[in-house]
Amino acid sequence: MTNHQKRLSVPKSWPVERKTDVFTVKAGAGPHGKEGVPLVVLLRDVLGYVDSKKEARYALSEDAILVNGDPINDEQRPIGMFDIVAFPGREEYYRVFPDEGGRLALTEIDAEAAGSRLGKIEGKQQVPGGDTQLTLHDGTNVVVDEEEYSTNDSIVVDNDDKSIVAHFPFEEGALVTAVRGNHGGKIGEIDAIDVTPGSGPNTISVTTDDGGFETIEEYVVVIDENFTGDDDE
């Protein structure tokens, strides 16, 4: 199986130039599905910290790079929305956050903010023993013993002990960011949730500082103001 990916066919969320070269690195198996960006792409094309996969492998072998608090040794490890990428030796910490158009970008944060990460609840089911399992947008599973969480809510998970440290319900008045679609990267408050009868997607009306927009439920994520990057400097 090839380790290369044609640039013209990468997901729109990838922060790469599509016409400079024919190929880029293919993401390995892991979280975020096809939307995940290989770690080496962020290190090479976005941050400029390495010039090649070989240099990336060396940095990873030194446990110099953490993703969500864990040292990573695979340069093709997929990185995606709301992941925390940390360089403890440099005292540099970044959150992966969608910018205008929904393209993934790195927002610099402080060490305290890097201790946890945001996750959108995309699934919820009972597991043996009576507990509830939440499945997050990146495929992570979190087991809880409470019923207060709902699909489309967001939670903040501590990177060390994996406990839930905050919960943001999906409801009118909630602060959200659009992560896909024509309004990707825009931030505002939910004005209305229009439940569509049948199997069609629910639509969301969002009020922003410069007006507003409508999109489908799947394309927004509830966030806290601390996760926009504005207050992390």
Side-chain angles (χ1 to χ4, degrees), residues 8 45-46 49-50 65 80 99 118 123 134 136-138 145 163 171 182 187 198 201 208 229 231:
L8 286 175
D45 300 349
V46 178
Y49 287 169
V50 301
I65 303 168
D99 66 5
L118 190 75
L134 308 177
L136 304 185
H137 69 278
D138 62 356
D145 58 4
S163 64
E171 59 189 8
N182 295 333
I187 294 172
T208 64
D231 298 320

Side-chain angles (χ1 to χ4, degrees), residues 95 97 107-109 187 223-233:
R95 178 182 293 115
F97 198 82
T107 299
E108 191 164 3
I109 57 177
I187 294 172
I223 58 175
D224 178 78
E225 60 183 11
N226 293 328
F227 285 80
T228 65
D230 295 338
D231 298 320
D232 292 328
E233 301 298 333

Side-chain angles (χ1 to χ4, degrees), residues 14-207:
W14 282 34
V16 299
E17 296 297 329
R18 285 162 171 74
K19 297 182 180 180
T20 54
D21 295 293
V22 176
F23 294 101
T24 187
V25 179
K26 184 178 181 180
H32 302 289
K34 65 180 182 179
E35 298 295 321
V37 182
L39 177 57
V40 66
V41 169
L42 297 182
L43 298 178
R44 182 189 62 198
D45 300 349
V46 178
L47 294 170
Y49 287 169
V50 301
D51 293 323
S52 65
K53 289 175 64 176
K54 183 178 180 179
E55 289 184 11
R57 290 192 190 106
Y58 176 78
L60 295 173
S61 71
E62 298 293 306
D63 290 342
I65 303 168
L66 307 181
V67 176
N68 301 330
D70 298 321
I72 301 299
N73 56 19
D74 179 8
E75 75 279 2
Q76 293 180 243
R77 195 272 196 193
I79 306 297
M81 185 173 65
F82 302 120
D83 277 344
I84 303 296
V85 182
F87 303 85
R90 292 173 172 264
E91 297 186 350
E92 292 182 8
Y93 309 89
Y94 298 92
R95 178 182 293 115
V96 181
F97 198 82
D99 66 5
E100 186 174 352
R103 201 178 198 195
L104 296 178
L106 296 178
T107 299
E108 191 164 3
I109 57 177
D110 60 27
E112 181 178 0
S116 59
R117 65 188 180 91
L118 190 75
K120 178 181 180 178
I121 300 174
E122 294 194 342
K124 177 180 176 180
Q125 63 179 3
Q126 292 292 121
V127 294
D131 289 335
T132 299
Q133 178 177 280
L134 308 177
T135 300
L136 304 185
H137 69 278
D138 62 356
T140 299
N141 293 320
V142 179
V143 176
V144 297
D145 58 4
E146 303 174 21
E147 291 293 325
E148 62 180 300
Y149 306 101
S150 300
T151 302
N152 293 321
D153 289 359
S154 290
I155 57 175
V156 179
V157 180
D158 185 274
N159 286 335
D160 288 332
D161 61 15
K162 312 306 179 186
S163 64
I164 297 175
V165 297
H167 172 213
F168 307 128
F170 179 75
E171 59 189 8
E172 292 183 5
L175 185 68
V176 297
T177 183
V179 296
R180 288 190 291 277
N182 295 333
H183 305 288
K186 293 184 178 180
I187 294 172
E189 292 186 357
I190 295 179
D191 181 59
I193 302 173
D194 185 12
V195 178
T196 303
S199 59
N202 296 335
T203 58
I204 310 298
S205 298
V206 179
T207 300

Side-chain angles (χ1 to χ4, degrees), residues 1-5 23 26 76:
M1 183 177 294
T2 179
N3 285 328
H4 294 86
Q5 162 78 51
F23 294 101
K26 184 178 181 180
Q76 293 180 243

